[in-house]
Amino acid sequence: MTHSATYTQKSRRARGQGPARRAARTLAFVLPVMLVLSGTLAVTRVNWSGSSSDSVLTASSQDVSARAKPRAPQDVLRDRLLAELQEQNPGVALTHLQEEVDRRPSLAKHCRSIAKALGRAAVRVYGPVRAQSYARPVCDTSFASGVAGFHA
């Protein structure tokens, strides 16, 4: 019996199933797990905000579950109309501004600031002369004053 046990141990070592093989298998399993965990922990400790504060981000931060505040309707409308101005022309954006103010009277108090922002954006995109050609009496000619104010 001792002969067969000795023979079996020698044959296992010859085929690479000795203690070194077991250690290599353990290392092959443990090493990737450790690398992933250490990488995850390192990423949570990097200051991604770009500010110079020494705050450290952690995975258990309470700000993670905080929802973003909803944007005001006038801000959403302004952004949508500025995108329309870029894609189509200021006339289309002004028409949609007037339609939105007529549909939702609560936006009337923001109409002038939105029209002025459209006027400034139109000058950037089309130049002052062409931008002025799109002016119309939307929100007390605020578009025209935005064009003139940006150009001056």
Side-chain angles (χ1 to χ4, degrees):
M1 253 204 220
T2 57
H3 175 59
S4 64
T6 305
Y7 176 75
T8 307
Q9 286 177 354
K10 286 182 182 179
S11 66
R12 281 188 185 157
R13 284 190 199 129
R15 289 183 284 165
Q17 293 181 356
R21 172 98 173 170
R22 268 184 266 126
R25 279 186 168 173
T26 303
L27 187 61
F29 175 75
V30 172
L31 186 62
V33 172
M34 293 303 295
L35 288 174
V36 168
L37 288 176
S38 65
T40 302
L41 294 175
V43 168
T44 60
R45 298 195 51 90
V46 172
N47 183 2
W48 294 103
S49 67
S51 65
S52 61
S53 67
D54 293 317
S55 65
V56 176
L57 299 175
T58 60
S60 63
S61 175
Q62 295 170 354
D63 295 335
V64 172
S65 62
R67 290 189 171 188
K69 293 182 181 177
R71 295 179 57 210
Q74 67 270 13
D75 295 335
V76 173
L77 177 62
R78 179 184 299 116
D79 291 347
R80 184 171 57 92
L81 293 174
L82 287 170
E84 277 184 11
L85 184 138
Q86 298 277 333
E87 294 169 4
Q88 296 176 8
N89 65 52
V92 172
L94 286 170
T95 299
H96 289 153
L97 173 61
Q98 188 64 54
E99 289 170 355
E100 282 296 316
V101 170
D102 291 343
R103 193 171 65 83
R104 295 172 60 191
S106 63
L107 291 172
K109 61 185 171 188
H110 304 287
C111 184
R112 292 177 62 178
S113 66
I114 294 172
K116 259 187 155 171
L118 289 172
R120 288 188 214 111
V123 170
R124 276 187 241 116
V125 175
Y126 296 100
V129 174
R130 187 163 174 217
Q132 190 64 40
S133 70
Y134 288 103
R136 55 177 75 157
V138 176
C139 306
D140 299 328
T141 65
S142 295
F143 177 83
S145 68
V147 170
F150 188 78
H151 179 56

